[in-house]
Amino acid sequence: MIYYDLAVELQHQLSQAGYDTILSTTKDVEKQADIISKRSLDAVYIIDISSSNSHQVTKMYYAPVIFIDCTIDDPLFCKIYPNYPIIFREARKLLQEEHPFLVMEDILNEELTQIIQFSFSPENIFVNSPDNNL
């Protein structure tokens, strides 16, 4: 999956810069957060987490938390989001296609899922999952 490639590359780059890194999945968020919170961390990178789980995780850390591909509704965090509607509009112009087909990974974040579903016709979205045979 693309997120694992991103996470491994992020881990590699941080290790090259001298930072100790931990790569963890979000399958059992509270258990993982409890284990990781026992370490002294410089920062936490969280990729594609549901909003409900984000609140469980962030209460465990006393370090900067950087969310990637998540929309988090919490005033504690500074938010820098891509403008997805503009990105999709520009993609349509570049592709010269009014109704493009989107192939994407399965994502957990509900708000991002809604933005994508609002921007494309359901029949034009293919969600790849580990059990698909492409």
Side-chain angles (χ1 to χ4, degrees), residues 4 35-36 41 84 112 115:
Y4 293 117
I35 292 168
I36 294 170
L41 302 174
Y84 289 103
L112 184 53
I115 290 168

Side-chain angles (χ1 to χ4, degrees), residues 9-75:
E9 182 61 26
L10 185 58
Q11 182 179 34
H12 173 73
Q13 293 296 323
L14 289 169
S15 293
Q16 293 288 358
Y19 292 97
D20 185 23
T21 60
I22 302 169
L23 183 58
S24 175
T25 64
T26 55
K27 298 282 185 204
D28 189 354
V29 175
E30 283 201 46
K31 181 179 177 186
Q32 292 290 331
D34 186 46
I35 292 168
I36 294 170
S37 69
K38 292 181 171 116
R39 300 196 49 159
S40 176
L41 302 174
D42 294 314
V44 178
Y45 289 82
I46 298 177
I47 303 171
D48 184 36
I49 192 170
S50 69
S51 293
S52 59
N53 285 339
S54 70
H55 297 293
Q56 294 172 345
V57 170
T58 56
K59 69 181 179 186
M60 303 279 207
Y61 297 115
Y62 297 99
V65 179
I66 300 163
F67 293 98
I68 301 171
D69 280 349
C70 306
T71 54
I72 306 302
D73 187 23
D74 189 327

